[in-house]
Amino acid sequence: EIEPKPGANHCVALALVAQGEFSSAARHLEAMATTRVPVSTDRENEWRMTEARRIDLLAQAANAWLLAERSESAHALFSSILSRPDVNGEARGELLIDRARALAVLDDMRGAIADLDSAIVLLGYRADILTFRAGARRSLGLFSDALADADRALKMAPNDADALFERGNARYDMGDREGAREDWMRAVEVAPGTLTADAAARNRHASEGRPMPSGLELSTPQELLDQAPALDALDAAQQPSQALTDPVP
C-alpha cells in the first residue's frame, strides 16, 4: 500500500527503475497518481497532488511500462492521459511522441506517424521527432519521405548520430550505397560506444560484404524504441521543472 508521502514514494519508484524493476516502478507510480494525499500543516513540507503532478506521474508510469516491454499497457495509459481535456500544448506534444514509441513497438507505424505529425503541429519541427518519423516512414517503404525527414533533421543537428543512421538507411534503400556508408561512418565517429554507433557499424560492414567484427551481427533498421527515451522521461522527473517538488527522502 502506498503511504501518503509523495517525495519518499517517488524516490522509491526511481530506485526501482535504477534496479531494472520497471514493472514494479510502473505500478508504484500509478498507485501514487491515484492515491489521495493529505496536505501537511507544515508549509515547508506541504504536499499537494495537483492535476499536473498526477498527469506527470501517470506519464512516468507509462514510460516505465515501455521499459518493462509492456507496450500495450503503456499505450493504454498514454491514451488515457491524452484523453484528458486539460492535457494540451507542449505537454500534449511530448505525450504524443511517447505514445508513438509505444505504437511503433506494437508495429502500428501508421499510428505512430499520425501521432508524430500531431506532435510537430504542437512542438514544431525538431530533429528527434523528424528522425523518429524517418525510421517509421522507412519501415513502411516510404524511402523518399524518410530521406527528406532525415535530411531536415540533420540541417537542425548536423552531428546527430540517430539522424545520420536513419539517413544512411534511407540512402541505402534508395540505392545510394556510398552515401549510406558515409553516414554510417559519421554516426560511429560522432557517437562512439553507443547503440546507434554499433548499429551503424553493423550496417556498414554488411553493406561492404565484410565479416562482422566480433560481437556484431547484421543490423535490421534501428529499433524505434530503446530504453533511452523512456529513461530520459523518468530522469526528467527529478528536475524542478517537472513540478514534483515534494520532500526528497
Side-chain angles (χ1 to χ4, degrees):
E1 184 177 349
I2 304 297
E3 297 178 0
K5 295 180 180 179
N9 282 314
H10 195 245
C11 286
V12 170
L14 293 177
L16 288 169
V17 170
Q19 294 166 13
E21 299 290 337
F22 303 125
S23 293
S24 295
R27 285 190 288 269
H28 203 87
L29 288 161
E30 281 199 71
M32 282 183 66
T34 55
T35 298
R36 290 186 176 277
V37 181
V39 178
S40 170
T41 56
D42 181 353
R43 298 290 299 179
E44 184 177 350
N45 291 311
E46 186 176 15
W47 297 321
R48 292 186 184 277
M49 182 59 74
T50 64
E51 280 307 298
R53 291 188 189 185
R54 197 181 305 280
I55 290 168
D56 189 58
L57 287 169
L58 289 171
Q60 291 172 48
N63 275 294
W65 284 127
L66 276 177
L67 290 170
E69 299 182 356
R70 293 275 300 276
S71 302
E72 296 89 349
S73 297
H75 176 263
L77 189 49
F78 282 130
S79 294
S80 175
I81 301 168
L82 285 164
S83 71
R84 292 171 175 250
D86 54 340
V87 176
N88 44 48
E90 291 187 8
R92 185 174 187 82
E94 296 296 342
L95 284 164
L96 284 164
I97 297 169
D98 286 337
R99 188 172 68 175
R101 290 190 290 111
L103 286 165
V105 176
L106 294 169
D107 202 28
D108 182 359
M109 297 303 176
R110 294 191 186 280
I113 290 170
D115 273 356
L116 294 171
D117 290 344
S118 297
I120 288 172
V121 172
L122 294 168
L123 302 172
Y125 287 98
R126 271 183 5 199
D128 60 326
I129 305 174
L130 289 165
T131 299
F132 187 174
R133 194 171 68 174
R137 283 176 160 176
R138 193 175 70 84
S139 72
L140 294 175
L142 304 172
F143 303 135
S144 61
D145 290 339
L147 182 60
D149 274 348
D151 276 335
R152 188 163 189 168
L154 286 165
K155 287 179 181 178
M156 297 177 176
N159 292 322
D160 187 295
D162 292 329
L164 285 163
F165 178 82
E166 284 299 346
R167 189 173 71 177
N169 289 342
R171 281 178 162 176
Y172 190 86
D173 287 329
M174 295 182 73
D176 182 4
R177 304 304 198 242
E178 187 59 34
R181 293 183 189 111
E182 289 176 2
D183 279 342
W184 291 331
M185 185 185 305
R186 181 63 180 155
V188 173
E189 291 173 352
V190 300
T194 63
L195 292 173
T196 300
D198 288 347
R202 288 195 296 269
N203 281 6
R204 182 173 172 233
H205 278 80
S207 72
E208 294 172 348
R210 292 192 286 145
M212 292 290 130
S214 177
L216 294 182
E217 299 176 355
L218 176 61
S219 174
T220 55
Q222 184 186 28
E223 292 294 333
L224 292 174
L225 172 78
D226 59 29
Q227 290 192 352
L231 282 172
D232 287 346
L234 287 165
D235 287 343
Q238 301 177 66
Q239 303 302 318
S241 61
Q242 295 299 307
L244 285 168
T245 54
D246 306 305
V248 177

